[in-house]
Amino acid sequence: MVLKQFYLACLAHASYLIADPASKAAVVVDPQRDVDQYLDEAARLGCAVRHVVLTHFHADFISGHLELQERTGANVYLGAQGRADYDFIPLKDGDTIELGAVRLRALETPGHTPESICLLVFDLEKDEVKPHAVLTGDTLFIGDVGRPDLMAAVGVDPRMLGGQLYDSLQQKLIPLPDETLVYPAHGAGSLCGKNLGSETVSTIGDQRRYNYALKPMSRDVFIELVAADQPEAPAYFAYDAALNRSLRPTLDQTLERLKALSPDQVLALQRQGMPVLDVRDPAEFAGAHLADSVNIGLGGKFATWAGTVMERTLPSVLVALPGQEREAATRLGRIGLEAAGYLEGGMAALARRPELVKVSERLTAAQAAERLAGPQPPLILDVRAPAEREALRLKGSIGVPLNHLGRRMEELPKDRPILVHCASGYRSSIAASMLAGQGYRQVSDLIGGIAAWQAERLPVETGA
């Protein structure tokens, strides 16, 4: 048996290929949308991908089940409670997928979502009774469990799902043998839980001992515990979950529409309301960028923030370093966003169009401190999350989390300079570009964020 994990760090997403080289068959579980790596690995093993399983309708990325089905003709499987616009095979408790000497057995484990399943993996040549591993999707993470509140936006009661999650864990997963390997669909950094560990594999025994949510407790206590202190879910989560139920274009079909555009074509699309997304690093963006473009650099949590602040139903025009356009479009496509085209040649294409180019002001911590001590100090805008501000903040700053900025921008004055900061300078560049695009002309960005401020031993305050 071959069981290989593929980990996509930028989305904290784990997917799996399980194969039996003797029977030349493979199954892929929870694939990302760009699927070449699974096909390459299957070919290396001399296997064909015959089956694709989704443990649930993922909210934080678009699954590659339709892409794999188009490329291989594989069967698609969902939990029996799933409803989708495409053909699939429902998996109930005890249903199996056979791959020669490998068997996958479904466990219906509602709680994160109603249709959630886990998959027991048996290596029949070693043990037909005890599972080698369990693929837990978003039901059980390393150090955490799946949050039950993500479907509240579509009317599903989180307390009901929390109770189902408790039953799934107590009745289906906790009783598994201690040595059963646990392979989840997400790791640290995912917003599908609140306490995910950095490890990408564990055992049932270790999780029973160390996972806070698997400690002995009543159903009611569990429901309260898993609901508390969950991070705010990005707005695109509901959009992605709906797309994963839908019959939609494949990523290849989407990328075929990516076109090289001249400056005049970009401007025409921008005038029609299409957003321009500059994916270069903040320093490059600040040095020169197309007026009214939004900066979300590929070097940070690009997809998450693009899904949060960009219009999901409108394609974007990309500005990138030459050669990075397809990477940016692919990473947008992983969360269901589309790029209509890109500025051919990048910013060099605007070398003879200086009237279209803007620069952004970026300040070092020392420069910012000097300006704040001056006669007309700027308003300090902190775009970090509330928990970050509670732990540490600049005195006199106001907090508007980046994921709220679009709808709260009117709270900010246009007649006063604004100094934007975050933890490191990534989110603040996004925020500063959004403000500039809405007519805020006195915006500066703190280079290095609050970390650089502390490095200069400048004053901070703590507490609520």
Side-chain angles (χ1 to χ4, degrees):
M1 181 180 75
V2 174
L3 193 166
K4 180 169 181 177
Q5 181 184 73
F6 298 81
Y7 195 77
L8 183 63
C10 61
L11 288 174
H13 164 220
S15 53
Y16 300 89
L17 181 141
I18 304 163
D20 174 41
S23 64
K24 301 187 184 304
V27 57
V28 179
V29 180
D30 290 333
Q32 63 190 63
R33 200 175 177 195
D34 40 326
V35 298
D36 283 349
Q37 60 186 341
Y38 312 114
L39 300 176
D40 292 345
E41 180 66 14
R44 188 185 71 80
L45 296 169
C47 295
V49 175
R50 302 296 188 195
H51 315 279
V52 186
V53 183
L54 300 192
T55 59
H56 64 291
F57 295 120
H58 294 274
D60 56 325
F61 69 95
I62 303 302
S63 176
H65 52 294
L66 298 182
E67 284 76 7
L68 281 170
Q69 185 177 58
E70 182 184 69
R71 300 273 290 272
T72 69
N75 293 316
V76 174
Y77 299 78
L78 300 172
Q81 298 304 310
R83 300 292 181 268
D85 295 341
Y86 44 84
D87 292 334
F88 66 90
I89 298 172
L91 290 174
K92 305 184 300 296
D93 261 333
D95 286 349
T96 62
I97 299 172
E98 306 285 341
L99 307 173
V102 178
R103 174 177 295 147
L104 304 183
R105 181 184 297 160
L107 299 175
E108 290 188 83
T109 53
H112 178 65
T113 66
E115 78 287 346
S116 289
I117 59 171
C118 296
L119 294 172
L120 296 175
V121 182
F122 293 87
D123 186 343
L124 300 179
E125 291 183 348
K126 294 183 178 180
D127 197 321
E128 295 186 13
V129 177
K130 291 185 177 181
H132 169 74
V134 58
L135 306 187
T136 56
D138 284 17
T139 299
L140 174 63
F141 298 126
I142 310 305
D144 204 355
V145 293
R147 58 192 295 180
D149 64 321
L150 289 183
M151 297 192 68
V154 293
V156 181
D157 181 7
R159 291 191 62 84
M160 179 196 73
L161 285 179
Q164 291 180 347
L165 182 60
Y166 179 82
D167 293 340
S168 294
L169 295 167
Q170 295 292 325
Q171 299 171 15
K172 306 286 181 69
L173 295 181
I174 288 178
L176 293 173
D178 278 359
E179 62 272 21
T180 307
L181 295 173
V182 174
Y183 287 103
H186 290 294
S190 169
L191 293 174
C192 293
K194 60 183 176 181
N195 193 49
L196 280 71
S198 58
E199 302 89 351
T200 59
V201 62
S202 182
T203 65
I204 286 290
D206 280 349
Q207 289 309 295
R208 196 184 295 114
R209 282 188 289 273
Y210 302 121
N211 190 320
Y212 77 95
L214 301 192
K215 302 294 185 185
M217 68 186 80
S218 71
R219 183 192 188 94
D220 287 340
V221 169
F222 174 86
I223 292 171
E224 296 297 330
L225 184 63
V226 297
D229 302 320
Q230 289 289 358
E232 186 175 354
Y236 75 91
F237 271 26
Y239 176 78
D240 277 18
L243 273 184
N244 279 322
R245 296 181 178 89
S246 303
L247 191 61
R248 45 142 182 94
T250 65
L251 181 61
D252 285 343
Q253 291 168 338
T254 298
L255 293 178
E256 283 175 3
R257 297 197 282 266
L258 186 67
K259 297 180 177 66
L261 302 171
S262 69
D264 287 337
Q265 289 174 311
V266 170
L267 290 173
L269 292 172
Q270 191 179 36
R271 284 193 292 268
Q272 294 169 21
M274 190 173 290
V276 177
L277 175 58
D278 191 317
V279 302
R280 297 172 300 148
D281 288 342
E284 293 167 324
F285 177 84
H289 58 265
L290 179 64
D292 298 333
S293 54
V294 175
N295 175 228
I296 308 176
L298 288 173
K301 289 191 173 184
F302 171 72
T304 298
W305 285 114
T308 299
V309 306
M310 301 300 291
E311 172 56 57
R312 289 174 290 282
T313 59
L314 281 177
S316 298
V317 176
L318 300 175
V319 177
L321 294 177
Q324 291 189 340
E325 300 91 354
R326 190 175 178 87
E327 177 192 352
T330 298
R331 290 173 65 177
L332 288 174
R334 287 175 181 160
I335 60 164
L337 273 61
E338 186 174 343
Y342 60 90
L343 178 60
E344 187 172 18
M347 284 302 297
L350 301 180
R352 296 184 180 180
R353 306 286 297 274
E355 74 281 4
L356 304 178
V357 177
K358 299 291 184 181
V359 298
S360 300
E361 184 177 58
R362 305 183 81 215
L363 302 178
T364 65
Q367 289 171 328
E370 182 178 349
R371 193 165 295 184
L372 288 167
Q376 293 182 314
L379 174 69
I380 308 172
L381 175 62
D382 183 348
V383 296
R384 298 174 302 152
E388 294 175 279
R389 272 185 59 77
E390 185 173 334
L392 194 73
R393 62 181 177 273
L394 273 62
K395 185 178 180 180
S397 62
I398 66 167
V400 179
L402 179 55
N403 57 322
H404 294 180
L405 182 61
R407 63 178 181 268
R408 292 182 56 187
M409 204 174 288
E410 292 182 356
E411 298 175 19
L412 304 175
K414 286 189 174 180
D415 59 354
R416 181 180 174 185
I418 297 176
L419 171 65
V420 189
H421 87 85
C422 62
S424 65
Y426 181 80
R427 284 173 288 177
S428 60
S429 182
I430 301 173
S433 67
M434 292 171 63
L435 289 166
Q438 294 299 314
Y440 290 80
R441 300 305 181 195
Q442 302 180 77
V443 180
S444 53
D445 178 15
L446 178 59
I447 299 171
I450 200 167
W453 185 270
Q454 285 184 282
E456 292 289 333
R457 302 184 183 279
L458 291 164
V460 295
E461 58 183 14
T462 60

